[in-house]
Amino acid sequence: MKFSGIIILITFLFSQTSIAQNRCTISGRVVNVGQQPVAVYARLLALPDSMLLQGAPFENGRVTFSGIEHQLVALRLSSVGLSDTLLLIRCEGRTQIDLGTILLHEHVQALAGVTIRGQAPLVTQGANGTTEIQITGSILAGSTSATELLERSPGITFTEGRVGVIGRGEALIFLNGQAITYEQMAAIPVARIARVEVILNPSARYDAEGKAVINIITKSVTVSGTTGSVTQQYAYTRFAGSELNTLADLQYMHNRLSLEANYALETGNEREVLHTTRTRPSPTEYLHSDLTTDWQRKMRNYSNFGAGAQLNLKENSYISLTYKGNLNSQGGSQNSSNALTDISGMSFYQSWVAKDEKRWNHAVTLNFQQALDTLGSALFVGTQYARFQTDQHDRIRENSLISDSTAVRNLLNDVLIRINISSTQADYTKAFRNGGKFETGAKFSYADNGSGTDFLVSVEDGPLLPDQGLSSHFRYVEKVPAAYLSYQGKMKGNVQFGAGARGEWTNYILNTTARGGQDIGNSYFNVFPNLFVSKNFANGLLSRISYVSKITRPRYQALNPFVVYQDPFTTIEGNPNLQPEKIHTFETGLQYKQLDVRASYTYTKDKINGAALRGDAPNSYVLKGINLAKEYALLLTASATFNLHWWSTTNTITVSHNKLIDNQYSFEIIKPKPQFYGYTSNTFDVNHLFKIQLMAWYLGERSQGLYYNFSRSTVTVGVERDFFKNALKIRLTANDIFHQSQVHGKYSVGQTDIYYHRTYSTAFFGISAAYRFGRLGKVTFNSKSTGETEQNRAR
């Protein structure tokens, strides 16, 4: 197979690369006037032309750049609230230069005649395969929401509301190291986002859940005093209408006490249209269904809010308490039409759903961290409680036209969902003088998910009577104790390595009254090892290889067999028999400056997917999650960033090959074919007056053996300018100009050929204004979530 040859070639290069010439490595430790390490963004400039060579963030203040060819360079250090510092460095044949401790003063230290002509690269790669995406100053900073920002980012995709990473699958979302829900992500002001980390090989410290981790890092803006920002965004699309998003955040610090709060309000309209055809060609049970469902959602009040307090005990020691919540009040309508032809003739069905849904979500987190030495050793203890509440009261009216007769039904779908999640964890970190780090910890999580569905039917305006077949009650209780060990260190020859293992024991009990009632319980134990090794050569080449094992448990609602009404012949139901999928990924890669090439192989057992399966009635179908036997996935990707005086460009090309295996549902087998993915982001600086930004991606056709997905793409253009000494930023954006990002595909299962096409309101014109006030300094607010995976599964 071609992919096998590529992986063998990269592995060969991994072991055979030789040092071509002596190149320089520069390192140093950055502190403020209080001798505290500060987070900096460092840029390495070539002299005398001031071209940008390398750029990267360093959260712990330890700056390192390697593979430097130029003999004369300038190092520019930038930190929030502190003036930029420029240092002149002469390599003069030396291979290692230790700058020692670098003090950032309140006044500018500059080299006369040095002007930066270039921008920080959009993408940088870490030694363990982590990708860092810089947001500030890029087209991504013009996004109207954090969700849209991720959708525009290289290598990240959204499919049916789920965020994933190309070649890996669905990812968990974190904010500054703590897991958050999609609703909480919507409350993050884009103006506060500094960068996004895509962690493909999470260490054993992370929960085994999820195939990748997307960690959103915000700017450190908590200060001695008060600071904050206000952002107003407006977007309009002919497909859905207008949307208004208001975000505000405030930070305050006095002595050792830090306070923060944020609020976001989203109102307006969202729209999604799903067109589906289902065809059974067999003459004895012929069926052709042409179904269109139009969701016209009215966001009456989408509010996200949070507050937190932190008491800094001493350096790297603190106690913090945070609260996060959101209220989603949704109205609008869901309209369906279904033209159905079978062996008895033609019929036409329509339904109108008046949506009335409210969701209240709350989460409280209490953290304590004690620094044990100045090297980074620490003890952390945290606990969290979260409650998710959904109340749904949908009124439905059906109109059926069969031959010359018309029938009318009124329905009421009342749904009550309550999910309670608690988790507690303790982590111990021991840092060594040689740069090694040992971590161990334990966690216990508990989830109680209960719901009730009352489905009532009225025929020809008669009384509403319960429909026992569509009504149900459900409860799911899960306990997961876990423990882990992890070590990262360095070896001779610039070799870094990390190894760890995590053990998780899962116990659950499921009770449901649906379909005659079911009582399901099970316990299982899994160990998830991980390993990475990287070598940094003196010529700037970095090679790496890694292995990681993960698990994806079904979402709580994916297990719940309650009925979501779509039309008289289509329902969406959970599957209480869903099993978690187990994932094993091997990856190898090479990195040289801003060029990164990697190849990976992933094996997944009990792959979770979805399908439209035949229901109990002759022409009915149920959309539900299912387990496929296994999946094999191969991936080859290359990314590069280039910078000129006036142009910065980041480009990614990926080729993937997936093969799904089914042993249960009678899918029609189709020949797997590779899928191509291309991404480009370009920023043009027009005489330092304003910036023009162009972003585009293309996701090609894909055949996975069972499913066939058609291609989709997007093109986005933005213009931005700063005012009032960069305090105010105005952006104009034309998103998905050609409206080609729709999801559509086909598959055949159980003698039925199915085609689907989803259209979203992604093509819009938007304007945003972000204003930041207050004097900025550097004190980080710390809050870790102990319920990272459980909250994501509560969606």
Side-chain angles (χ1 to χ4, degrees):
M1 184 177 291
K2 294 181 179 179
F3 277 87
S4 300
I6 293 170
I7 293 176
I8 292 172
L9 175 61
I10 292 179
T11 305
F12 176 80
L13 291 173
F14 183 98
S15 60
Q16 296 296 319
T17 303
S18 60
I19 300 175
Q21 54 180 301
N22 289 330
R23 306 195 184 190
C24 185
T25 296
I26 296 174
S27 61
R29 178 174 177 265
V30 183
V31 300
N32 59 15
V33 291
Q35 294 300 310
Q36 303 297 318
V38 296
V40 296
Y41 194 96
R43 297 174 175 87
L44 192 68
L45 311 173
L47 294 179
D49 60 0
S50 301
M51 285 294 296
L52 182 66
L53 300 176
Q54 300 182 47
F58 299 92
E59 285 295 313
N60 59 3
R62 296 185 180 274
V63 177
T64 301
F65 286 121
S66 58
I68 303 169
E69 301 176 10
H70 295 72
Q71 297 302 305
L72 181 63
V73 295
L75 178 64
R76 176 165 182 165
L77 303 172
S78 303
S79 183
V80 177
L82 299 173
S83 297
D84 286 4
T85 296
L86 279 162
L87 302 174
L88 179 65
I89 302 169
R90 298 181 184 275
C91 293
E92 297 178 340
R94 291 177 290 176
T95 59
Q96 298 283 339
I97 297 178
D98 187 353
L99 300 174
T101 300
I102 305 169
L103 181 64
L104 295 193
H105 295 274
E106 294 184 358
H107 300 288
V108 178
Q109 298 177 359
L111 295 177
V114 176
T115 304
I116 293 180
R117 299 174 182 172
Q119 305 174 67
L122 179 67
V123 173
T124 57
Q125 307 291 342
N128 64 346
T130 296
T131 299
E132 292 188 351
I133 305 169
Q134 302 304 313
I135 306 304
T136 304
S138 74
I139 191 173
L140 303 177
S143 304
T144 59
S145 67
T147 302
E148 182 184 301
L149 181 149
L150 293 182
E151 192 171 13
R152 294 177 175 182
S153 299
I156 299 176
T157 62
F158 269 80
T159 303
E160 299 182 9
R162 298 183 181 184
V163 61
V165 176
I166 293 289
R168 289 297 178 92
E170 190 173 354
L172 300 179
I173 305 297
F174 282 65
L175 173 63
N176 297 325
Q178 69 164 329
I180 57 174
T181 63
Y182 278 48
E183 292 83 3
Q184 292 167 344
M185 182 176 66
I188 305 172
V190 174
R192 283 200 60 193
I193 299 177
R195 69 181 190 276
V196 173
E197 297 176 339
V198 182
I199 306 173
L200 299 180
N201 304 302
S203 70
R205 184 166 186 165
Y206 288 90
D207 282 13
E209 185 77 22
K211 301 168 187 174
V213 171
I214 296 175
N215 188 25
I216 300 172
I217 306 296
T218 56
K219 301 171 184 176
S220 300
V221 294
T222 306
V223 300
S224 298
T226 303
T227 185
S229 70
V230 178
T231 303
Q232 184 64 63
Q233 302 165 339
Y234 174 81
Y236 175 80
T237 170
R238 289 182 295 177
F239 180 71
S242 62
E243 181 179 321
L244 195 64
N245 199 2
T246 303
L247 306 98
D249 64 275
L250 186 68
Q251 297 84 36
Y252 170 81
M253 180 178 177
H254 180 69
N255 294 330
R256 296 184 300 162
L257 179 64
S258 301
L259 303 175
E260 68 168 12
N262 67 277
Y263 178 77
L265 174 63
E266 185 177 7
T267 59
N269 303 290
E270 282 187 347
R271 189 182 179 194
E272 175 187 351
V273 175
L274 172 61
H275 177 225
T276 304
T277 63
R278 305 175 188 135
T279 304
R280 292 201 302 260
S282 173
T284 58
E285 53 177 3
Y286 177 79
L287 171 72
H288 179 75
S289 170
D290 193 321
L291 168 65
T292 299
T293 304
D294 187 350
W295 289 271
Q296 299 184 28
R297 302 181 180 99
K298 179 69 175 179
M299 294 180 288
R300 295 184 296 212
N301 182 350
Y302 273 34
S303 292
N304 293 269
F305 33 83
Q310 176 176 306
L311 180 64
N312 299 303
L313 306 176
K314 60 179 183 178
E315 182 181 354
N316 296 325
S317 297
Y318 64 87
I319 183 170
S320 66
L321 177 67
T322 60
Y323 164 79
K324 292 181 179 179
N326 66 276
L327 166 64
N328 291 353
S329 177
Q330 177 183 310
S333 63
Q334 173 188 318
N335 305 320
S336 297
S337 61
N338 190 356
L340 192 149
T341 304
D342 58 14
I343 56 177
S344 62
M346 297 180 62
S347 53
F348 185 73
Y349 301 86
Q350 288 181 300
S351 64
W352 300 268
V353 181
K355 298 292 295 181
D356 184 9
E357 180 176 324
K358 288 185 179 180
R359 297 185 180 184
W360 275 98
N361 300 332
H362 309 274
V364 179
T365 303
L366 176 64
N367 291 333
F368 169 77
Q369 178 165 300
Q370 176 68 50
L372 303 178
D373 56 35
T374 59
L375 298 175
S377 301
L379 174 66
F380 170 84
V381 179
T383 186
Q384 182 180 79
Y385 172 77
R387 179 175 174 84
F388 298 81
Q389 175 179 322
T390 299
D391 295 311
Q392 179 179 324
H393 307 282
D394 291 349
R395 294 189 174 274
I396 308 165
R397 184 173 179 84
E398 289 182 357
N399 187 3
S400 305
L401 178 61
I402 306 174
S403 299
D404 294 329
S405 61
T406 301
V408 176
R409 291 200 312 169
N410 293 308
L411 305 92
L412 176 63
N413 188 16
D414 279 344
V415 178
L416 183 70
I417 300 174
R418 300 291 185 268
I419 302 176
N420 296 287
I421 298 171
S422 62
S423 57
T424 300
Q425 75 178 54
D427 301 299
Y428 170 75
T429 301
K430 175 61 178 176
F432 300 95
R433 294 188 181 278
N434 62 1
K437 182 172 67 173
F438 170 76
E439 294 179 305
T440 185
K443 174 184 174 181
F444 178 79
S445 62
Y446 173 85
D448 187 348
N449 176 12
S451 70
T453 302
D454 294 323
F455 209 97
L456 294 84
V457 179
S458 167
V459 179
E460 298 296 342
D461 294 325
L464 286 166
L465 301 175
D467 186 323
Q468 300 301 328
L470 297 178
S471 301
S472 66
H473 293 274
F474 169 85
R475 189 180 183 194
Y476 176 85
V477 178
E478 179 184 86
K479 304 172 185 176
V480 182
Y484 73 91
L485 295 169
S486 176
Y487 182 80
Q488 297 181 30
K490 298 180 180 180
M491 300 172 62
K492 293 182 179 180
N494 290 325
V495 174
Q496 299 183 46
F497 70 93
R502 185 181 185 91
E504 295 186 352
W505 182 74
T506 304
N507 172 266
Y508 70 89
I509 299 175
L510 185 154
N511 308 106
T512 178
T513 61
R515 302 189 178 279
Q518 296 184 69
D519 293 308
I520 302 173
N522 194 13
S523 298
Y524 54 88
F525 177 75
N526 298 103
V527 176
F528 305 96
N530 66 82
L531 171 71
F532 86 87
V533 180
S534 67
K535 179 174 175 60
N536 199 339
F537 296 91
N539 63 354
L541 182 70
L542 174 71
S543 56
R544 62 180 180 269
I545 189 168
S546 65
Y547 162 75
V548 64
S549 60
K550 308 293 287 182
I551 190 172
T552 301
R553 298 180 180 92
R555 286 182 172 82
Y556 302 130
Q557 293 310 103
L559 297 167
N560 189 347
F562 83 103
V563 173
V564 177
Y565 177 94
Q566 187 169 342
D567 73 80
F569 294 98
T570 308
T571 56
I572 303 172
E573 300 179 18
N575 180 0
N577 297 306
L578 270 181
Q579 299 297 311
E581 61 181 26
K582 279 74 70 178
I583 306 109
H584 303 270
T585 299
F586 301 85
E587 181 178 283
T588 182
L590 294 172
Q591 178 188 339
Y592 182 72
K593 294 185 177 179
Q594 295 303 317
L595 174 64
D596 183 86
V597 180
R598 65 181 70 188
S600 66
Y601 167 77
T602 300
Y603 169 75
T604 304
K605 183 182 179 183
D606 297 323
K607 172 73 175 181
I608 297 176
N609 219 307
L613 306 178
R614 294 181 65 173
D616 297 331
N619 294 332
S620 67
Y621 284 83
V622 178
L623 308 180
K624 65 193 306 181
I626 60 174
N627 284 113
L628 300 175
K630 62 190 71 173
E631 180 189 38
Y632 304 99
L634 292 165
L635 176 79
L636 176 64
T637 184
S639 62
T641 297
F642 304 100
N643 292 276
L644 300 178
H645 294 288
W646 51 274
W647 175 35
S648 175
T649 178
T650 295
N651 304 276
T652 299
I653 297 176
T654 298
V655 179
S656 59
H657 187 277
N658 298 61
K659 184 177 181 180
L660 291 167
I661 306 296
D662 165 51
N663 296 329
Q664 181 178 355
Y665 295 99
S666 301
F667 275 88
E668 178 182 331
I669 305 300
I670 55 180
K671 184 179 180 181
K673 296 180 180 179
Q675 183 183 42
F676 172 82
Y677 168 78
Y679 174 94
T680 183
S681 176
N682 303 269
T683 300
F684 305 92
D685 191 338
V686 182
N687 293 326
H688 306 293
L689 296 176
F690 60 91
K691 294 179 181 179
I692 299 175
Q693 298 163 329
L694 170 67
M695 186 276 294
W697 57 257
Y698 172 82
L699 190 61
E701 298 179 350
R702 179 170 68 166
S703 173
Q704 307 174 70
L706 306 179
Y707 300 86
Y708 182 87
N709 304 113
F710 293 95
S711 63
R712 53 194 179 108
S713 61
T714 191
V715 176
T716 296
V717 177
V719 179
E720 71 170 36
R721 180 168 179 174
D722 294 321
F723 299 88
F724 307 122
K725 298 181 179 180
N726 299 330
L728 175 65
K729 186 180 292 291
I730 304 293
R731 291 187 181 92
L732 302 176
T733 304
N735 192 76
D736 193 10
I737 296 174
F738 304 106
H739 207 188
Q740 295 295 313
S741 60
Q742 303 94 333
V743 178
H744 54 134
K746 60 182 180 179
Y747 60 95
S748 297
V749 58
Q751 309 303 316
T752 304
D753 302 327
I754 298 170
Y755 167 82
Y756 61 91
H757 188 289
R758 291 183 181 270
T759 303
Y760 301 97
S761 50
T762 54
F764 63 82
F765 292 92
I767 180 173
S768 68
Y771 178 75
R772 175 156 292 281
F773 56 89
R775 182 185 175 190
L776 303 182
K778 171 65 181 72
V779 177
T780 303
F781 191 95
N782 298 282
S783 178
K784 293 183 182 179
S785 170
T786 62
E788 51 258 16
T789 59
E790 293 80 11
Q791 288 196 50
N792 280 277
R793 292 171 63 204
R795 290 193 300 114

